[in-house]
Amino acid sequence: MNHTVDQARDNLIATAKKGYPILLGGAIVWLLMALIPFVFAKEIVHLIWIWGLMAIFPLGLVLGHVLKIDLFVKNNPLSELGAFTAAPQAFFIPVFIVVYMKIPEYLPFTIGLLGASHFLPYAWIYKSKAYLIMAIGMGLSSFIIGGYFIEYAFTFVPLAISLFFMAAIVKVIQELKKGISQGVSANEKSG
């Protein structure tokens, strides 16, 4: 299939619904992460932070399936770009392990900041201010809370991140509705 970049972006946006099932999975997992310090010992919480966050992507895929949203748009090169944009997070895992071994108190700072950085390209891919706002909000909250209020970081960093994910979901849905109404208006004008 031969697309211009704009056609590929529009196709990906329409089919994958700007990837909001992944955001929904993230909101759920980060909210659970905010609660785990009340249930588990600190050492277990540290390990859950490293390994538990890997649940976001599979949960997002399951939610996408339930919502009948195709997150793997075939014959669209930008779908592959989205996958390549997400893949570098695997290289973050050794960093998280070293932080866990040396200074585990900084896991919320490190995971939040590095996780936030990978969302920036999605602002362009999905033509979405929601991803930009989320990346900046997630990064700043991880930096401020995780860097300066360390004793509260394992509760308040994931709570803040979950709230940014939820706000991004609301914004993405608004963007999708606006895009649909603009598409209808454009079709009415041409017809």
Side-chain angles (χ1 to χ4, degrees):
M1 195 171 224
N2 205 359
H3 287 294
T4 68
V5 172
D6 284 333
Q7 288 171 328
R9 286 169 76 191
D10 291 344
N11 172 261
L12 188 64
I13 289 166
T15 306
K17 304 293 185 221
K18 296 191 178 195
Y20 88 82
I22 301 293
L23 297 176
L24 185 55
I28 293 167
V29 170
W30 281 109
L31 185 59
L32 291 173
M33 296 299 278
L35 300 174
I36 63 169
F38 300 107
V39 179
F40 297 103
K42 188 185 291 189
E43 294 76 21
I44 302 297
V45 170
H46 296 161
L47 287 172
I48 292 172
W49 266 73
I50 291 174
W51 304 110
L53 291 170
M54 289 184 207
I56 293 173
F57 186 71
L59 178 58
L61 292 179
V62 168
L63 293 169
H65 181 74
V66 169
L67 296 168
K68 298 184 183 349
I69 296 172
D70 181 11
L71 295 171
F72 295 111
V73 181
K74 292 176 180 46
N75 299 322
N76 188 320
L78 292 182
S79 185
E80 291 177 34
L81 177 62
F84 280 112
T85 299
Q89 288 186 96
F91 293 99
F92 298 167
I93 295 170
V95 174
F96 302 154
I97 291 170
V98 170
V99 171
Y100 164 74
M101 291 176 2
K102 302 292 184 186
I103 43 173
E105 302 81 27
Y106 282 99
L107 281 171
F109 172 87
T110 308
I111 292 173
L113 263 170
L114 289 175
S117 70
H118 104 280
F119 285 108
L120 288 172
Y122 292 103
W124 180 85
I125 291 169
Y126 289 131
K127 299 179 184 179
S128 176
K129 289 181 183 170
Y131 281 93
L132 181 62
I133 293 165
M134 188 183 74
I136 292 169
M138 185 176 170
L140 282 175
S141 61
S142 299
F143 176 75
I144 294 167
I145 300 167
Y148 296 100
F149 303 98
I150 298 167
E151 62 275 8
Y152 305 109
F154 282 96
T155 300
F156 289 113
V157 168
L159 184 60
I161 291 172
S162 181
L163 292 172
F164 279 108
F165 268 76
M166 289 179 209
I169 293 165
V170 170
K171 179 74 174 149
V172 163
I173 291 170
Q174 289 172 346
E175 290 173 352
L176 288 168
K177 286 182 181 177
K178 183 179 177 185
I180 291 169
S181 67
Q182 285 178 344
V184 169
S185 298
N187 288 339
E188 288 172 355
K189 288 178 185 175
S190 65

